[in-house]
Amino acid sequence: MEYRTFGRTGLEVSTISLGTEYLINLPQEHVTGVIAEAVDRGVNYFDLFYSQAQFREVMGAAFAGRRDQALLACHLGVVEVDGQHSKTRDMAVSEAVFHDWLRLLRTDHADVLFVHNIDAQEDYDWAMSRLLPQAQALRDQGKARFIGFSGHTVSTSLQAVETGEIDVLMFPVNLTGHAVPGRRELFRACADRDVALVAMKPFAGGRLLRPETSVVVKNHHRGGGIAGDDRYELTEKSAITPVQCLAYVLAQAGVSNIVPGCQSVEELEASLAVLEAGPEERDFAPILPSVSQYVTGECVYCNHCQPCPSHIDVGLTLRLLDEVQGRPTAAQATAYGQLPAPASDCIECGVCTERCPFGVETMDRIGEAARVFEGV
């Protein structure tokens, strides 16, 4: 397993974590088996947002005896209505559901407590004046360690990050959202403010893995808000695999971990395969023209420009550069110092620019990195 620092929390999280929504309505033995396999394979972060009482009971039993091996994320603002998961704006009900989660999980706290599923501006204004203070009060009582915000709209998610009040953002990150306006700025804001970025919906609600060559992806699956959808003609459909989808997400600036929804041990293994996959298996660059209108000249950290004769990790160097807002933070400077070679070692051979499939002036950007991080 690979681990990344979880923003300013200081926690280390498995890059491949687990969303649990596809385990709903499955037998206890099956769910317990998936959770056990995940923990045994090094997965240490689990998102728990469904509100049905039966689901809470099943998940509580699945984590019995494993609480100390798991970081658990719960949500405020959820309720069960006629057997279905739903949002609620009843503060008492919201807190009651959360306390029941704690009871069934046999724990006295959640590691992350999310202000749940906030997209529209009106809902954001209400949530930040009511639901956020409720989360903060529960944190102050020791019932939560850190506060998160989950949403599908760039504008409200960015506002939440910029308040400085949240430690974690959960947001859709997948190939189909590559060209969503403002998304890159949102991710950079997370990196600059040291807010952990949990990537949800890495397969666009499963649509990227379907056999059809033409699929409709809803806006909230791609981070484009709550209304509308887009159709993608997937000319490279035969090449799309879970490994490519997850490799793309892990290459995005600011991402701490991914929470793919896995319904079985086999699906979990398909996600974990990205950790051992080679460069060819991870290569997502040929897919981008099919699934989104990527911006020419924008680095996607795919490392098609490698190998570098000076041993510069071009993709990671440019990723760190894109995270910088003004001067590098101490954490960014430390990460840069741990690279195999500094940008100033560039001999300006120009090969990286020639190889780039996206028209990035790679050599010029390496020079920029040398100036930003080394003052060269």
Side-chain angles (χ1 to χ4, degrees):
M1 180 56 69
E2 296 173 358
Y3 297 88
R4 290 182 179 179
T5 301
F6 200 51
R8 57 174 173 253
T9 70
L11 300 172
E12 294 292 315
V13 294
S14 52
T15 54
I16 304 302
S17 299
L18 189 65
T20 58
E21 64 269 33
Y22 294 108
L23 295 174
I24 194 166
N25 296 326
L26 294 177
Q28 180 69 68
E29 183 178 359
H30 179 95
V31 174
T32 299
V34 174
I35 296 299
E37 181 68 16
V39 173
D40 290 344
R41 295 287 295 274
V43 174
N44 71 348
Y45 180 99
F46 298 83
D47 184 67
L48 307 167
F49 80 87
Y50 267 102
S51 54
Q52 289 93 321
Q54 186 269 348
F55 179 69
R56 298 199 301 269
E57 291 174 0
V58 168
M59 295 307 296
F63 281 104
R66 293 184 176 271
R67 176 65 179 96
D68 62 343
Q69 298 173 279
L71 299 170
L72 302 180
C74 297
H75 294 244
L76 279 180
V78 297
V79 69
E80 180 179 8
V81 177
D82 296 327
Q84 299 294 315
H85 170 83
S86 182
K87 292 170 63 172
T88 182
R89 293 300 172 251
D90 185 313
M91 304 291 288
V93 170
S94 171
E95 187 165 339
V97 171
F98 171 64
H99 279 121
D100 197 49
W101 261 118
L102 296 185
R103 177 182 67 83
L104 292 167
L105 289 167
R106 303 164 176 83
T107 186
D108 61 358
H109 72 279
D111 295 288
V112 181
L113 181 56
F114 279 98
V115 176
H116 177 73
N117 193 10
I118 310 299
D119 290 313
Q121 185 63 48
E122 181 180 5
D123 203 24
Y124 173 86
D125 294 338
W126 179 89
M128 299 304 277
S129 65
R130 300 291 302 282
L131 212 54
L132 176 64
Q134 184 181 49
Q136 292 170 326
L138 290 165
R139 177 198 60 193
D140 294 345
Q141 295 166 22
K143 296 177 181 178
R145 297 173 67 187
F146 304 103
I147 294 176
F149 180 98
S150 71
H152 311 79
T153 305
V154 167
S155 60
T156 48
S157 293
L158 181 59
Q159 288 174 66
V161 170
E162 290 180 338
T163 65
E165 301 289 347
I166 67 168
D167 306 297
V168 183
L169 173 69
M170 185 159 70
F171 192 83
V173 186
N174 61 67
L175 286 154
T176 68
H178 190 74
V180 169
R183 195 192 73 154
R184 180 171 291 272
E185 288 72 22
L186 171 62
F187 294 177
R188 287 177 178 170
C190 288
D192 186 52
R193 293 176 178 270
D194 215 8
V195 171
L197 176 56
V198 178
M200 60 174 165
K201 305 189 187 304
F203 309 127
R207 286 164 173 78
L208 283 171
L209 303 181
R210 291 182 177 179
E212 304 97 299
T213 57
S214 178
V215 298
V216 173
V217 177
K218 295 185 180 299
N219 264 338
H220 73 274
H221 282 164
R222 58 192 292 267
I226 56 178
D229 50 47
D230 282 300
R231 179 172 293 279
Y232 294 90
E233 299 296 332
L234 304 177
T235 57
E236 296 290 338
K237 184 66 181 80
S238 61
I240 299 180
T241 66
V243 166
Q244 289 171 306
C245 291
L246 297 173
Y248 168 82
V249 178
L250 291 174
Q252 304 311 297
V255 168
S256 303
N257 57 326
I258 314 173
V259 285
C262 300
Q263 193 173 46
S264 64
V265 169
E266 290 74 22
E267 289 186 1
L268 174 65
E269 290 175 344
S271 291
L272 293 175
V274 69
L275 302 173
E276 303 295 334
E280 290 187 6
E281 293 174 276
R282 296 170 66 99
D283 183 13
F284 55 81
I287 304 169
L288 284 177
S290 299
V291 297
S292 71
Q293 297 176 358
Y294 65 86
V295 179
T296 300
E298 181 179 278
C299 182
V300 298
Y301 322 117
C302 65
N303 269 338
H304 278 70
C305 52
Q306 303 286 75
C308 170
S310 298
H311 305 290
I312 296 170
D313 186 327
V314 177
L316 188 50
T317 299
L318 297 191
R319 178 178 172 179
L320 286 170
L321 176 63
D322 284 341
E323 291 179 0
V324 171
Q325 301 278 319
R327 288 189 174 185
T329 65
Q332 290 164 348
T334 298
Y336 182 80
Q338 294 174 343
L339 293 174
S344 57
D345 281 0
C346 176
I347 60 174
E348 299 186 354
C349 65
V351 173
C352 57
T353 301
E354 294 173 6
R355 292 177 180 151
C356 180
F358 303 112
V360 179
E361 293 296 333
T362 311
M363 189 176 69
D364 292 345
R365 299 223 60 212
I366 288 294
E368 182 183 354
R371 292 189 294 274
V372 169
F373 287 102
E374 305 173 60
V376 177

